[in-house]
mmCIF file with all atom_site columns, all heavy atoms in Angstrom:
data_model
loop_
_atom_site.group_PDB
_atom_site.id
_atom_site.type_symbol
_atom_site.label_atom_id
_atom_site.label_alt_id
_atom_site.label_comp_id
_atom_site.label_asym_id
_atom_site.label_entity_id
_atom_site.label_seq_id
_atom_site.pdbx_PDB_ins_code
_atom_site.Cartn_x
_atom_site.Cartn_y
_atom_site.Cartn_z
_atom_site.occupancy
_atom_site.B_iso_or_equiv
_atom_site.pdbx_formal_charge
_atom_site.auth_seq_id
_atom_site.auth_comp_id
_atom_site.auth_asym_id
_atom_site.auth_atom_id
_atom_site.pdbx_PDB_model_num
ATOM 1  N N   . GLY A 1 2   ? -8.338  8.959   0.975   1.00 70.00 ? 7   GLY A N   1
ATOM 2  C CA  . GLY A 1 2   ? -9.662  9.366   0.551   1.00 70.00 ? 7   GLY A CA  1
ATOM 3  C C   . GLY A 1 2   ? -10.708 8.284   0.749   1.00 70.00 ? 7   GLY A C   1
ATOM 4  O O   . GLY A 1 2   ? -10.407 7.156   1.149   1.00 70.00 ? 7   GLY A O   1
ATOM 5  N N   . PRO A 1 13  ? -10.441 -8.645  0.979   1.00 89.00 ? 18  PRO A N   1
ATOM 6  C CA  . PRO A 1 13  ? -10.490 -9.899  1.753   1.00 89.00 ? 18  PRO A CA  1
ATOM 7  C C   . PRO A 1 13  ? -9.210  -10.087 2.566   1.00 89.00 ? 18  PRO A C   1
ATOM 8  O O   . PRO A 1 13  ? -8.384  -10.946 2.277   1.00 89.00 ? 18  PRO A O   1
ATOM 9  C CB  . PRO A 1 13  ? -10.635 -10.965 0.661   1.00 89.00 ? 18  PRO A CB  1
ATOM 10 C CG  . PRO A 1 13  ? -9.912  -10.375 -0.517  1.00 89.00 ? 18  PRO A CG  1
ATOM 11 C CD  . PRO A 1 13  ? -10.151 -8.888  -0.432  1.00 89.00 ? 18  PRO A CD  1
ATOM 12 N N   . GLN A 1 29  ? 6.177   4.017   8.407   1.00 85.00 ? 34  GLN A N   1
ATOM 13 C CA  . GLN A 1 29  ? 6.704   4.460   7.116   1.00 85.00 ? 34  GLN A CA  1
ATOM 14 C C   . GLN A 1 29  ? 7.626   5.664   7.260   1.00 85.00 ? 34  GLN A C   1
ATOM 15 O O   . GLN A 1 29  ? 7.459   6.487   8.143   1.00 85.00 ? 34  GLN A O   1
ATOM 16 C CB  . GLN A 1 29  ? 5.559   4.756   6.153   1.00 85.00 ? 34  GLN A CB  1
ATOM 17 C CG  . GLN A 1 29  ? 4.612   5.804   6.663   1.00 85.00 ? 34  GLN A CG  1
ATOM 18 C CD  . GLN A 1 29  ? 4.496   7.022   5.767   1.00 85.00 ? 34  GLN A CD  1
ATOM 19 O OE1 . GLN A 1 29  ? 5.218   7.190   4.816   1.00 85.00 ? 34  GLN A OE1 1
ATOM 20 N NE2 . GLN A 1 29  ? 3.568   7.880   6.108   1.00 85.00 ? 34  GLN A NE2 1
ATOM 21 N N   . HIS A 1 34  ? 8.050   9.055   1.567   1.00 76.00 ? 39  HIS A N   1
ATOM 22 C CA  . HIS A 1 34  ? 6.673   8.666   1.850   1.00 76.00 ? 39  HIS A CA  1
ATOM 23 C C   . HIS A 1 34  ? 6.334   7.260   1.381   1.00 76.00 ? 39  HIS A C   1
ATOM 24 O O   . HIS A 1 34  ? 6.539   6.916   0.232   1.00 76.00 ? 39  HIS A O   1
ATOM 25 C CB  . HIS A 1 34  ? 5.701   9.660   1.219   1.00 76.00 ? 39  HIS A CB  1
ATOM 26 C CG  . HIS A 1 34  ? 5.884   11.039  1.724   1.00 76.00 ? 39  HIS A CG  1
ATOM 27 N ND1 . HIS A 1 34  ? 5.493   11.416  2.982   1.00 76.00 ? 39  HIS A ND1 1
ATOM 28 C CD2 . HIS A 1 34  ? 6.457   12.125  1.170   1.00 76.00 ? 39  HIS A CD2 1
ATOM 29 C CE1 . HIS A 1 34  ? 5.786   12.682  3.173   1.00 76.00 ? 39  HIS A CE1 1
ATOM 30 N NE2 . HIS A 1 34  ? 6.381   13.145  2.086   1.00 76.00 ? 39  HIS A NE2 1
ATOM 31 N N   . ARG A 1 61  ? 1.853   -10.772 2.395   1.00 93.00 ? 66  ARG A N   1
ATOM 32 C CA  . ARG A 1 61  ? 1.393   -11.420 1.165   1.00 93.00 ? 66  ARG A CA  1
ATOM 33 C C   . ARG A 1 61  ? -0.018  -10.947 0.798   1.00 93.00 ? 66  ARG A C   1
ATOM 34 O O   . ARG A 1 61  ? -0.285  -10.594 -0.353  1.00 93.00 ? 66  ARG A O   1
ATOM 35 C CB  . ARG A 1 61  ? 1.438   -12.944 1.308   1.00 93.00 ? 66  ARG A CB  1
ATOM 36 C CG  . ARG A 1 61  ? 1.104   -13.669 0.008   1.00 93.00 ? 66  ARG A CG  1
ATOM 37 C CD  . ARG A 1 61  ? 1.165   -15.182 0.120   1.00 93.00 ? 66  ARG A CD  1
ATOM 38 N NE  . ARG A 1 61  ? 0.083   -15.678 0.979   1.00 93.00 ? 66  ARG A NE  1
ATOM 39 C CZ  . ARG A 1 61  ? 0.265   -16.181 2.205   1.00 93.00 ? 66  ARG A CZ  1
ATOM 40 N NH1 . ARG A 1 61  ? 1.453   -16.265 2.727   1.00 93.00 ? 66  ARG A NH1 1
ATOM 41 N NH2 . ARG A 1 61  ? -0.768  -16.599 2.912   1.00 93.00 ? 66  ARG A NH2 1
ATOM 42 N N   . LEU A 1 63  ? -1.592  -8.172  1.720   1.00 94.00 ? 68  LEU A N   1
ATOM 43 C CA  . LEU A 1 63  ? -1.576  -6.749  1.350   1.00 94.00 ? 68  LEU A CA  1
ATOM 44 C C   . LEU A 1 63  ? -1.012  -6.544  -0.052  1.00 94.00 ? 68  LEU A C   1
ATOM 45 O O   . LEU A 1 63  ? -1.537  -5.741  -0.826  1.00 94.00 ? 68  LEU A O   1
ATOM 46 C CB  . LEU A 1 63  ? -0.785  -5.944  2.379   1.00 94.00 ? 68  LEU A CB  1
ATOM 47 C CG  . LEU A 1 63  ? -1.427  -5.822  3.755   1.00 94.00 ? 68  LEU A CG  1
ATOM 48 C CD1 . LEU A 1 63  ? -0.428  -5.281  4.770   1.00 94.00 ? 68  LEU A CD1 1
ATOM 49 C CD2 . LEU A 1 63  ? -2.674  -4.934  3.705   1.00 94.00 ? 68  LEU A CD2 1
ATOM 50 N N   . ASN A 1 66  ? -3.404  -7.770  -2.840  1.00 92.00 ? 71  ASN A N   1
ATOM 51 C CA  . ASN A 1 66  ? -4.548  -6.876  -3.016  1.00 92.00 ? 71  ASN A CA  1
ATOM 52 C C   . ASN A 1 66  ? -4.140  -5.463  -3.431  1.00 92.00 ? 71  ASN A C   1
ATOM 53 O O   . ASN A 1 66  ? -4.988  -4.587  -3.558  1.00 92.00 ? 71  ASN A O   1
ATOM 54 C CB  . ASN A 1 66  ? -5.386  -6.841  -1.741  1.00 92.00 ? 71  ASN A CB  1
ATOM 55 C CG  . ASN A 1 66  ? -6.183  -8.114  -1.589  1.00 92.00 ? 71  ASN A CG  1
ATOM 56 O OD1 . ASN A 1 66  ? -7.219  -8.266  -2.227  1.00 92.00 ? 71  ASN A OD1 1
ATOM 57 N ND2 . ASN A 1 66  ? -5.696  -9.036  -0.786  1.00 92.00 ? 71  ASN A ND2 1
ATOM 58 N N   . ARG A 1 77  ? 6.726   -0.719  0.111   1.00 90.00 ? 82  ARG A N   1
ATOM 59 C CA  . ARG A 1 77  ? 6.206   0.629   -0.072  1.00 90.00 ? 82  ARG A CA  1
ATOM 60 C C   . ARG A 1 77  ? 4.681   0.564   -0.044  1.00 90.00 ? 82  ARG A C   1
ATOM 61 O O   . ARG A 1 77  ? 4.074   -0.257  -0.710  1.00 90.00 ? 82  ARG A O   1
ATOM 62 C CB  . ARG A 1 77  ? 6.676   1.236   -1.394  1.00 90.00 ? 82  ARG A CB  1
ATOM 63 C CG  . ARG A 1 77  ? 6.324   2.705   -1.509  1.00 90.00 ? 82  ARG A CG  1
ATOM 64 C CD  . ARG A 1 77  ? 7.016   3.364   -2.684  1.00 90.00 ? 82  ARG A CD  1
ATOM 65 N NE  . ARG A 1 77  ? 8.453   3.457   -2.552  1.00 90.00 ? 82  ARG A NE  1
ATOM 66 C CZ  . ARG A 1 77  ? 9.089   4.427   -1.906  1.00 90.00 ? 82  ARG A CZ  1
ATOM 67 N NH1 . ARG A 1 77  ? 8.417   5.391   -1.307  1.00 90.00 ? 82  ARG A NH1 1
ATOM 68 N NH2 . ARG A 1 77  ? 10.411  4.449   -1.859  1.00 90.00 ? 82  ARG A NH2 1
ATOM 69 N N   . ASN A 1 85  ? 1.170   12.619  0.766   1.00 65.00 ? 90  ASN A N   1
ATOM 70 C CA  . ASN A 1 85  ? 2.562   12.790  0.383   1.00 65.00 ? 90  ASN A CA  1
ATOM 71 C C   . ASN A 1 85  ? 3.014   14.241  0.336   1.00 65.00 ? 90  ASN A C   1
ATOM 72 O O   . ASN A 1 85  ? 3.879   14.600  -0.440  1.00 65.00 ? 90  ASN A O   1
ATOM 73 C CB  . ASN A 1 85  ? 2.813   12.116  -0.967  1.00 65.00 ? 90  ASN A CB  1
ATOM 74 C CG  . ASN A 1 85  ? 2.744   10.624  -0.854  1.00 65.00 ? 90  ASN A CG  1
ATOM 75 O OD1 . ASN A 1 85  ? 3.615   10.007  -0.285  1.00 65.00 ? 90  ASN A OD1 1
ATOM 76 N ND2 . ASN A 1 85  ? 1.668   10.036  -1.342  1.00 65.00 ? 90  ASN A ND2 1
ATOM 77 N N   . ASN A 1 97  ? 4.161   7.114   -9.766  1.00 82.00 ? 102 ASN A N   1
ATOM 78 C CA  . ASN A 1 97  ? 5.312   6.226   -9.591  1.00 82.00 ? 102 ASN A CA  1
ATOM 79 C C   . ASN A 1 97  ? 4.926   4.812   -9.154  1.00 82.00 ? 102 ASN A C   1
ATOM 80 O O   . ASN A 1 97  ? 5.799   3.966   -8.995  1.00 82.00 ? 102 ASN A O   1
ATOM 81 C CB  . ASN A 1 97  ? 6.298   6.816   -8.580  1.00 82.00 ? 102 ASN A CB  1
ATOM 82 C CG  . ASN A 1 97  ? 7.046   8.000   -9.148  1.00 82.00 ? 102 ASN A CG  1
ATOM 83 O OD1 . ASN A 1 97  ? 7.160   8.166   -10.356 1.00 82.00 ? 102 ASN A OD1 1
ATOM 84 N ND2 . ASN A 1 97  ? 7.546   8.846   -8.268  1.00 82.00 ? 102 ASN A ND2 1
ATOM 85 N N   . LEU A 1 114 ? -17.031 0.121   -16.938 1.00 57.00 ? 119 LEU A N   1
ATOM 86 C CA  . LEU A 1 114 ? -15.964 1.118   -16.975 1.00 57.00 ? 119 LEU A CA  1
ATOM 87 C C   . LEU A 1 114 ? -14.714 0.512   -17.591 1.00 57.00 ? 119 LEU A C   1
ATOM 88 O O   . LEU A 1 114 ? -14.289 -0.570  -17.218 1.00 57.00 ? 119 LEU A O   1
ATOM 89 C CB  . LEU A 1 114 ? -15.635 1.609   -15.558 1.00 57.00 ? 119 LEU A CB  1
ATOM 90 C CG  . LEU A 1 114 ? -14.514 2.618   -15.422 1.00 57.00 ? 119 LEU A CG  1
ATOM 91 C CD1 . LEU A 1 114 ? -14.910 3.941   -16.086 1.00 57.00 ? 119 LEU A CD1 1
ATOM 92 C CD2 . LEU A 1 114 ? -14.194 2.870   -13.959 1.00 57.00 ? 119 LEU A CD2 1
#
Side-chain angles (χ1 to χ4, degrees):
Q34 58 120 352
H39 300 287
R66 186 179 68 251
L68 291 167
N71 286 281
R82 189 169 293 276
N90 290 289
N102 288 338
L119 178 66

